[in-house]
Amino acid sequence: MTNPALSVIGLETCFRIRGRMVPAVSDVDLFVDKGEIIGLVGESGSGKSVTGLSIMGLIDKPGEITKGKILLNGEDLVSAGKERLRQIRGARIAMIFQDPMMTLNPVLRIDTQMMEALSAHDSRIDAETARTRCRDALGQVGIPSPEERLKAYPHQFSGGMRQRVAIAIALLNRPDIIIADEPTTALDVTIQGQILSEMQKLCRDTGAGLVWITHDLTVVAGLTTRVYVMYGGRIVELGAVDDILDRPIHPYTRGLIRSVPWHNRPGEPLYQIPGMTPAIDRMPAGCRFHPRCALATPECRGDIPLSAFGPGRFARCVHPLVEDS
Amino acid sequence: MTAYLLRRSFQTVLTLFVMSVLVFVGVYMIGNPVDVLISASATPQERQDIIRAFGLDQPVWTQYWTFLTNSLAGDLGNSFVFNQPALKLILSRMPATLELAFCALVLAVFVGIPLGVWAGLKPDRLTSRMIMTFSILGFSLPTFWIGLMLVMLFSVKLGWLPASGRGQTVELLGVPVSFLTWDGLAHLILPAINLALYKVSLVIRLTRAGVIECLQMEYIRFARAKGLTDARIVFVHVLKNTLIPLITVIGLELGSVIAFAVVTETVFSWPGMGKLIIDAIGNLDRPLILAYLMIIVLMFSLINLVVDILYSVVDPRVRLEGGSE
C-alpha cells in the first residue's frame, strides 16, 4: 500500500455534556488514497459529520479531539497549530456542506466569496488572476455564463446551482482531500445525479481524494470504491462497496440495506430497524447496536474489536453474517 | 428608483397633511392661548384686538385653511410669543440639536458596535460580562440623573468640563457648530455622552445578539472551511450581516434622539429645539408647536427613506419596490 493522502488513526472526539467529556466518535480509523472516493455511511447521530468536521479541524467548544492522529500527506493535523490549520483548510483539504441554501453568505457577491478563498492562501495573487480562476472554476462545475454569474448574489441561484458554487469554491485551490457532508441530500434526484457524476469526474481529473458522507446507500453504490459504515460513533464495518452491499457482515449494515425500499412489492410493509439511535451520553456498553439487534447475546456487551473478514474487509461484530465458509 | 422616490415623496406629503389636521385639532382643543398670553390687567378691548390679530375669532376650519394655504407657500405662521416666523425660530435652534444628536449617534455607533462585537465573539470573557452589565445600567438609569451626575463629577468636583451652553461656535457652511473649536468641543462632550448612553447600550445589545446569531450560521462554518482568517470572517462575513438589523434601529433612534433630546438639553442648558418646544407647549404657542411637529414628521420620513435605501445597499435580497431591476 502506498502512502494514503489522508489517514485517520484512532480518532476520538469528545463533547462536554453536563460537565462530562462524552465521546461522540471513538476508535475511528480510515484512509483515503489519492483520487479515491470513499463513503462514510450511517444514520443521523452516528458520528459521521463529527468525523468530517474533526478532519477539517472545525470542532468547536464544547467539543474537542481528545485522541488520535489525522495525517494529511504525512502531516498530523491534530497537533498542528491554529494558523497552520487555517493554511491547510481550504487549500489542501476542503469541505462541502449539506444545505446549499445556507452555505453561502447571503449579503456577499459570489466573486467576493470565491476570490477570498484564493487570497486567504495566496496573499500575493492579483485580482485579475483570481477572477479568471474563479470564472474557470464556475465553468468547470457546469454553471452557464460564469462571467456574469460571478457578479450575482446567492439568492439569485437555485439550490443545485448554489451547491455547484460551493463545490467550485472547494475545488479552487485544488485540494488533496474533499470532505462532502451529504451535499446532495437537500437537492432533487435529477440534480443529485448530475452533481454526483460531476464530482466523480472532478476527482478523477484533479486527483483529489473524496470522503462522501451520507445516509443514502444508493448514492454510495454508484459513486464510491470503499465504504465505512458508522454506528454510535464507531466504525462497525468497512470494505469494498460491492462486498458491503451484497454481503453485509454487521447486522446493522444489513438493516441499513434493507431499509432502502428498492426490492419492495407494492402494499408490502416497509422494513425498519427497530428502536432508535442512542443519544451520545447514553451509549450502551460493548456493541452499540446490540439493544436493537435481533442476534444479540450477552457477549455483545463486552469489548468488540474490528476483526478481519478478508482483504480490506473488517467488521466489529461477534455474530457476523457470513453464510459461506 | 425614480418611481420609488416619487411614491415615497407622495406618501410623505400625505403623512404631513394628516399630521397637520390631527395636531391642529388637538392644539385647538387644549385651550385658549389668549388666556395664557395676555396679562390679567388687559382691558376687554385689548383682548378682542389680540384675538382678532391672531385670527382666533375665525371658525376652526377657516383657521386651518389659512394655515394650510400659508404653509404651502412656505409660511408656517408667526410665533404668538416671539412674534417671529415659527419656522425661522425652529431653524435657528435646529443646528444645536442636530449637532448634539449626531454626536450622540456617532458615539453610539463607534463605541457600541465594537463593544457589541467583542461581547458577541467572546461571550464568556469577564470583559464581555462587564460590557453587558454596563449596557444594562445604560438602559435603566434615567437620562436626567446621569446628566446631573456627569455635571457633578466632571464640572463641579473635577472642574474639567463646562456644565452648560454651547461654548464658542464657528460657522460651517453658514451654520454655527461647536465641534470645530476646543471650547465648543469641551461643551459638547458631556451632553453628547449623556444623550448617547442609552443608544450605546442599545447598539451593544443588538450587535451582540446579531453576532451570536450569525456565528452559528452554516455560511460562517463554510467560510472557516475555506481557510479565511478570523479577522476576515468577523469584519466581512459577520459584521455585514449584523449591520442589517442595526441600520433600521439606528435610523429610528436618530429620529427619536433629535425629537426628544429635551431632557439632556434641559440639564445642560443646551440651546436646542427641545427647550423651545417645551416652552411653546407651556405658552400654548400654536404656530410654534405646529411648525415643530411638522418639521419632526418631515425629518422622520426622510430618515426612514434613507434607512430603506441603505438597507437595500447592505442586503442584496431587498429590492426597493417600483425600482427598476
Side-chain angles (χ1 to χ4, degrees), chain A residues 186-208:
Chain A
L187 305 175
D188 58 45
V189 210
T190 47
I191 309 288
Q192 177 172 326
Q194 291 171 11
I195 290 201
L196 287 176
S197 73
E198 266 157 35
M199 280 308 284
Q200 208 167 17
K201 184 172 167 294
L202 290 169
C203 284
R204 208 170 36 231
D205 293 351
T206 63

Side-chain angles (χ1 to χ4, degrees), chain A residues 216-238:
Chain A
D216 190 344
L217 286 170
T218 52
V219 168
V220 162
L223 182 70
T224 62
T225 52
R226 288 184 304 117
V227 173
Y228 293 81
V229 182
M230 283 192 84
Y231 183 83
R234 284 189 187 154
I235 287 169
V236 293
E237 179 165 358
L238 65 113

Side-chain angles (χ1 to χ4, degrees), chain B residues 68-322:
Chain B
L68 194 65
T69 45
N70 283 345
S71 57
L72 286 179
D75 175 14
L76 290 175
N78 277 10
S79 158
F80 290 165
V81 178
F82 299 94
N83 200 24
Q84 282 176 7
L87 195 60
K88 201 182 126 202
L89 270 173
I90 292 168
L91 290 182
S92 72
R93 298 289 198 96
M94 205 181 214
T97 297
L98 287 184
E99 184 178 20
L100 189 59
F102 278 110
C103 279
L105 191 76
V106 167
L107 272 178
V109 168
F110 286 92
V111 175
I113 291 181
L115 290 182
V117 168
W118 175 261
L121 288 178
K122 314 270 178 197
D124 297 329
R125 293 278 183 89
L126 181 66
T127 41
S128 303
R129 298 220 174 102
M130 281 161 63
I131 290 169
M132 295 321 285
T133 312
F134 163 81
S135 79
I136 291 173
L137 287 179
F139 253 131
S140 40
L141 294 177
T143 308
F144 79 90
W145 184 82
I146 294 181
L148 290 176
M149 289 303 117
L150 288 174
V151 171
M152 278 270 278
L153 183 64
F154 292 102
S155 308
V156 180
K157 281 255 192 270
L158 299 170
W160 291 350
L161 293 165
S164 69
R166 269 190 99 178
Q168 195 191 345
T169 58
V170 286
E171 298 250 319
L172 179 71
L173 306 172
V175 179
V177 294
S178 298
F179 74 95
L180 289 178
T181 65
W182 279 116
D183 184 50
L185 205 56
H187 280 84
L188 190 57
I189 291 175
L190 285 186
I193 289 179
N194 187 210
L195 194 57
L197 215 52
Y198 180 87
K199 309 298 163 199
V200 172
S201 310
L202 186 70
V203 171
I204 287 178
R205 299 192 84 84
L206 272 173
T207 311
R208 175 180 181 268
V211 168
I212 288 179
E213 193 192 326
C214 186
L215 282 178
Q216 290 161 355
M217 303 306 282
E218 190 82 341
Y219 55 76
I220 295 300
R221 189 180 260 176
F222 188 61
R224 290 174 62 203
K226 284 195 280 187
L228 303 188
T229 58
D230 288 351
R232 169 100 193 160
I233 290 174
V234 171
F235 291 113
V236 177
H237 286 257
V238 176
L239 205 56
K240 203 163 175 206
N241 278 285
T242 312
L243 280 182
I244 295 172
L246 265 180
I247 285 176
T248 320
V249 175
I250 289 177
L252 291 176
E253 287 298 319
L254 173 63
S256 77
V257 163
I258 295 171
F260 310 116
V262 185
V263 175
T264 300
E265 288 184 1
T266 310
V267 172
F268 292 93
S269 306
W270 189 262
M273 298 189 293
K275 187 89 170 52
L276 194 67
I277 183 66
I278 290 292
D279 292 345
I281 292 171
N283 294 329
L284 285 179
D285 194 343
R286 285 186 195 169
L288 203 51
I289 299 175
L290 260 173
Y292 177 79
L293 289 172
M294 301 301 278
I295 286 179
I296 294 295
V297 170
L298 190 64
M299 204 137 64
F300 263 95
S301 304
L302 277 179
I303 290 172
N304 277 339
L305 181 61
V306 171
V307 165
D308 286 350
I309 291 173
L310 274 182
Y311 211 92
S312 74
V313 172
V314 176
D315 191 341
R317 290 163 294 185
V318 176
R319 284 278 161 263
L320 301 177
E321 307 158 54

Side-chain angles (χ1 to χ4, degrees), chain A residues 5-287:
Chain A
L6 172 79
S7 50
V8 175
I9 303 157
L11 175 75
E12 180 184 84
T13 301
C14 290
F15 284 83
R16 186 173 291 279
I17 295 174
R18 286 185 284 277
R20 215 156 50 87
M21 288 303 269
V22 183
V25 299
S26 51
D27 278 333
V28 170
D29 297 284
L30 61 83
F31 71 91
V32 190
D33 280 325
K34 211 167 168 324
E36 188 190 24
I37 303 181
I38 67 155
L40 194 56
V41 181
E43 293 169 278
S44 315
S46 61
K48 53 196 197 305
S49 288
V50 172
T51 307
L53 291 172
S54 300
I55 296 171
M56 288 298 290
L58 286 177
I59 295 290
D60 289 320
K61 288 270 153 63
E64 201 185 327
I65 297 176
T66 42
K67 266 187 217 155
K69 278 183 181 164
I70 295 165
L71 301 175
L72 181 71
N73 298 324
E75 181 182 358
D76 185 18
L77 304 186
V78 176
S79 57
K82 222 180 138 216
E83 174 58 18
R84 178 70 192 137
L85 263 184
R86 182 195 73 70
Q87 288 168 358
I88 291 170
R89 263 202 304 264
R92 306 281 27 100
I93 183 164
M95 188 157 182
I96 308 164
F97 293 90
Q98 179 172 356
D99 189 351
M101 301 313 230
M102 306 296 290
T103 44
L104 297 172
N105 194 327
V107 301
L108 299 176
R109 286 196 339 203
I110 298 301
D111 52 359
T112 315
Q113 300 196 46
M114 292 189 82
M115 283 159 74
E116 68 182 3
L118 286 171
S119 53
H121 301 291
D122 180 5
S123 51
R124 276 166 307 183
I125 194 166
D126 64 288
E128 210 39 57
T129 320
R131 231 192 147 69
T132 315
R133 276 177 65 185
C134 293
R135 194 191 57 211
D136 294 348
L138 284 187
Q140 207 182 0
V141 295
I143 288 181
S145 50
E147 184 69 51
E148 287 160 47
R149 298 309 257 162
L150 270 181
K151 292 193 206 96
Y153 284 96
H155 71 277
Q156 293 162 322
F157 289 80
S158 67
M161 283 297 161
R162 285 193 214 188
Q163 197 60 288
R164 283 166 203 261
V165 173
I167 293 169
I169 292 176
L171 289 169
L172 265 180
N173 288 304
R174 300 205 151 234
D176 303 319
I177 291 289
I178 300 170
I179 315 263
D181 190 356
E182 308 210 32
T184 56
T185 308
L187 305 175
D188 58 45
V189 210
T190 47
I191 309 288
Q192 177 172 326
Q194 291 171 11
I195 290 201
L196 287 176
S197 73
E198 266 157 35
M199 280 308 284
Q200 208 167 17
K201 184 172 167 294
L202 290 169
C203 284
R204 208 170 36 231
D205 293 351
T206 63
L210 179 62
V211 179
W212 196 275
I213 299 174
T214 183
H215 62 269
D216 190 344
L217 286 170
T218 52
V219 168
V220 162
L223 182 70
T224 62
T225 52
R226 288 184 304 117
V227 173
Y228 293 81
V229 182
M230 283 192 84
Y231 183 83
R234 284 189 187 154
I235 287 169
V236 293
E237 179 165 358
L238 65 113
V241 61
D242 295 339
D243 285 351
I244 295 250
L245 294 179
D246 295 344
R247 290 175 297 279
I249 294 172
H250 200 286
Y252 173 66
T253 313
R254 185 175 66 179
L256 262 189
I257 294 167
R258 284 190 185 169
S259 299
V260 180
W262 48 17
H263 299 308
N264 256 69
R265 276 195 293 272
E268 197 181 316
L270 297 173
Y271 177 81
Q272 52 177 341
I273 304 176
M276 302 272 283
T277 325
I280 85 161
D281 55 342
R282 285 197 199 86
M283 281 295 170
C287 172

